[in-house]
Amino acid sequence: MAIWNVAAPTFFNLLETHASVTPLMSQRPIDDCFRPLEPRMKHDKAIALLKERIVPVVDTEEVNLTTAGGRVLARNAVASFEIPAHTNAAVDGYAFAFSDYDAEKGVDLPVVGRAAAGRPFEDTVKSGTAVRILTGAVLPGGVDTIAMQEDVLRTEADVIRVRIPGGLKAGANVRRAGEDVKTSETLFEAGHILRPQDLAALASAGIAAPLCFKRLRLGIVSTGDEVIAVGSRALDHGEVYDANSPMLSELTRLAGTETEYLGIWPDKPEEVEQRLKAAAERFDVILTTGGASRGEEDHISRVLERLGTRHFWQLDVKPGRPMMFGQIGNTVVVGLPGNPVAVFVCFLMYVFPLLRKLSGAQWFEPHRIRLPADFEVAKRKIGRREFWRGMMVPSDTGLRAGKFKRDGSGLISGLRAADGIIEVAEDVPHVQPGDMVQFIPFSEYGIPSR
């Protein structure tokens, strides 16, 4: 397991050269991997730091294709033979030699045999004859073109004959060997996340158990004496139910991790230290909410500094300015804010791609859609990146971006109403209806639309 900083650039050079035969491997962590670049970082600087300094922290294993969906390849998947492996019929019909054919008038030919998938016509087809052929069958020698059966007139007497109409081109309805994939072609590079269609591609290439990274082991922790597990009991005055952990459990699952909820840790330094130390021996990543600042009751941050390394990040973003990153040995510790909206936004913007990279995947960058605004923000504070809860609004002229009216970090209703995030750059002083805005759909993260 490892975290890596910019001091070892040759690691990536090795990966590029040998990825097809050598799996990506992990290295030991560098304690200052998460050292902030400046006292208050802009969003782009924060992304650049994470993207530059993080590498996989998990080992590898061979995974059966039936369970490989969503897994991250640890080695290039390379085809060892052509796909398709033989030239074959794309349709049910009749195969003939184009040299026997009149492209304007057509041709009348006797049928001398039959070819089916798995039961080829073994002889070479003589000039001036045709064979019945079914989809997927190997194209026999001596023929190079196929007429679809519905376009052919067939007569049955002593000898079956077919009337093939004009208008066909040479090679019609034939799938050539290797037209999909060539021998030694790279299907997927290391770091690729396997999708359902990718499993079909691997199966067609005979790759039954691709080498993948093991799933990242992640523990979720909530902190605070005021935080109560939902369903445990009724709330007393000043208490709140733990809304972050259920949300993060699903978000981390979408990020491809094996997630375990470690409960709500009390504001007791000795107990926090004991639990954090034990968790660091079991997990690759520990994700906490609350207790990530410098307050009197922020025990996670103080314990982390005693057990390993800790760095506070002050981000020029809204919501979610304070975040904490650190390490205990080989284990990454990420501290998120306590308010649910800030937790959600910071997770998508920073933690989701971080987890993907730690899991061996390529750096995740969500696609942004430019949409005209269906709202107005007359004035906003420039100099910081903002992330507004938004939704796609149908109109007569196409989709537009709507905005949830309130921006409070504790308003889960804004997350419920949203389809995505409107990303507003630091230099945008206002947004007028019709202005183009950057919209990041939640579906980019695997979150279904409303």
Side-chain angles (χ1 to χ4, degrees), residues 319 341 387-391 402-404 406-408 414-415 418 420 422:
V341 173
F387 303 100
W388 299 337
R389 274 73 74 205
M391 59 286 295
K403 177 185 179 297
F404 191 69
R406 295 174 293 167
D407 294 325
L415 296 178
I422 300 168

Side-chain angles (χ1 to χ4, degrees), residues 244-295:
N244 288 325
S245 293
M247 178 173 67
L248 286 173
S249 293
E250 177 62 9
L251 288 172
T252 54
R253 184 192 68 80
L254 293 173
T257 70
E258 289 183 355
T259 298
E260 183 177 332
Y261 175 49
L262 303 182
I264 302 168
W265 294 2
D267 292 327
K268 297 179 181 179
E270 297 81 6
E271 186 170 344
V272 168
E273 182 166 350
Q274 181 181 7
R275 291 192 182 193
L276 189 59
K277 184 177 181 180
E281 296 174 355
R282 298 178 50 212
F283 296 97
D284 302 306
V285 178
I286 299 170
L287 184 59
T288 73
T289 57
S293 297
R294 294 181 170 90

Side-chain angles (χ1 to χ4, degrees), residues 50-177:
L50 293 174
K51 185 176 181 179
E52 185 178 67
R53 298 187 180 182
I54 302 301
V55 294
V57 302
V58 285
D59 294 325
T60 61
E61 61 183 351
E62 290 187 343
V63 181
N64 188 282
L65 276 183
T66 59
T67 59
R71 299 296 293 270
V72 181
L73 281 179
R75 173 168 62 199
N76 287 6
V78 179
S80 59
F81 53 84
E82 289 184 325
I83 305 172
H86 51 261
T87 300
N88 65 93
V91 298
D92 292 344
Y94 294 87
F96 61 95
F98 193 79
S99 58
D100 294 330
Y101 179 64
D102 187 320
E104 292 185 3
K105 299 178 180 180
V107 68
D108 187 300
L109 298 172
V111 178
V112 297
R114 183 177 185 273
R119 297 188 299 277
F121 183 82
E122 299 292 355
D123 297 331
T124 298
V125 181
K126 293 181 180 179
S127 178
T129 65
V131 294
R132 171 72 166 141
I133 194 165
L134 302 180
T135 302
V138 175
L139 192 70
V143 297
D144 56 14
T145 305
I146 299 174
M148 296 177 65
Q149 63 183 17
E150 52 264 46
D151 296 333
V152 170
L153 293 176
R154 172 178 166 135
T155 60
E156 296 192 27
D158 294 338
V159 177
I160 298 174
R161 301 187 69 87
V162 289
R163 178 67 188 175
I164 300 172
L168 292 175
K169 295 181 179 180
N173 301 311
V174 172
R175 293 187 291 220
R176 297 292 174 187

Side-chain angles (χ1 to χ4, degrees), residues 17 27 71 81 100 121 216 219 232 264 294 331 333 345 394 442:
T17 304
Q27 294 185 345
R71 299 296 293 270
F81 53 84
D100 294 330
F121 183 82
L216 200 69
S232 61
I264 302 168
R294 294 181 170 90
T331 299
V333 181
V345 171
F442 289 157

